[in-house]
Amino acid sequence: MPRRRRCRDGDGAETTTVPETMSDPTTEDEAFMAEALAEARAALALDEVPVGAVVVIDGTVVGRGHNRTRTDTDPTAHAEVRALRDAAAAIGDQRLRGAVLYSTVEPCFMCAGAASHARVARIVFGVRDPKFGACGSIGDVPREGRLNHTSAVTEGVGAEEARALMVGFFRSKREEAAERRAAESDGGAREGA
C-alpha cells in the first residue's frame, strides 16, 4: 500500500490526501496516454521535440498540448505547460484540482512546478528524462514535502512508443547534422581544387 501525504490548496484551507506513488497504470491511463502520444506526433510533424500532454478531470480531456518552443519562439511552450494553460482556460480556473496530467516524457522543473501551482493531483508520464526530469530523475518536485502541494506520480505508461518517438527524432537530427557537415566539407574541398 503506498504511503499517503497531506496536500493543501494555495490558501491552506482545503486538505486532501493523495498516494505518494502509484506504480500500476490502469487501462484508463493507457487510453489517456494514447491521447498524449497523438499530441507528441503533432509536435514531430512540426519538427519539434516530440512531447505531448493532456490534462484529464473526471475522465474527460480538458486540456491538450504539444511542444512548440521552436515554432512559437517561446522557451516556455512545453507540451505540459500548454496543456495546463488549455485546461485552465477550458474550466475557467487556474486550480486544476483533481486533475491528472499525462505527458509522454517526464516533466522538467518548469512543467512540474506549473503542475504544482495548478494543484494537479497526479502526474503520469512515459519515459524518464535523465538530463532535465523533475519527477524522479534529477529532482522530484511533485513529491517534495516542503512545497504546499504534492502530487502522485506514475511512470512508464506508453513508454515504448514515447521512447521510439524521442530516439527517432534525435537520430534524424544527428543524421541531418552529419549530412550538413559532409556537404560543407565536400564544398570546401571543391573550392580549394
Side-chain angles (χ1 to χ4, degrees):
M1 184 80 172
R3 210 170 58 192
R4 297 181 85 75
R5 273 206 172 136
R6 296 185 80 69
C7 298
R8 298 186 188 278
D9 70 7
D11 303 324
E14 185 178 323
T15 304
T16 60
T17 60
V18 296
E20 185 176 314
T21 62
M22 296 179 83
S23 58
D24 297 328
T26 65
T27 302
E28 186 176 77
D29 287 340
E30 292 166 358
F32 289 124
M33 185 58 75
E35 296 286 326
L37 286 161
E39 290 294 324
R41 289 189 292 277
L44 184 62
L46 294 173
D47 200 31
E48 294 275 357
V49 177
V51 179
V54 295
V55 175
V56 174
I57 298 177
D58 295 328
T60 302
V61 174
V62 295
R64 297 176 175 278
H66 53 270
N67 274 4
R68 289 184 57 99
T69 57
R70 293 177 175 101
T71 303
D72 295 347
T73 318
D74 178 357
T76 69
H78 288 199
E80 301 91 337
V81 168
R82 296 186 72 239
L84 291 167
R85 287 176 181 160
D86 192 39
I91 69 164
D93 193 347
Q94 67 178 347
R95 302 290 189 223
L96 304 174
R97 291 177 184 86
V100 181
L101 171 63
Y102 291 86
S103 178
T104 57
V105 176
E106 179 181 7
C108 69
F109 283 89
M110 175 183 68
C111 295
S116 178
H117 282 291
R119 305 302 188 256
V120 166
R122 185 167 159 242
I123 297 171
V124 178
F125 68 89
V127 295
R128 283 190 174 232
D129 182 346
K131 294 185 178 183
F132 290 98
C135 295
S137 288
I138 61 171
D140 201 347
V141 172
R143 294 175 286 216
E144 174 52 64
R146 293 173 291 181
L147 297 177
N148 62 351
H149 177 77
T150 58
S151 302
V153 175
T154 302
E155 67 179 275
V157 180
E160 190 173 311
E161 186 175 352
R163 184 175 294 108
L165 285 168
M166 296 292 283
V167 168
F169 176 79
F170 287 109
R171 178 179 296 132
S172 73
K173 291 299 172 192
R174 286 190 299 274
E175 289 169 358
E176 289 171 14
E179 289 170 8
R180 274 193 310 276
R181 285 191 302 274
E184 291 168 0
S185 141
D186 287 346
R190 285 179 224 200
E191 289 174 11

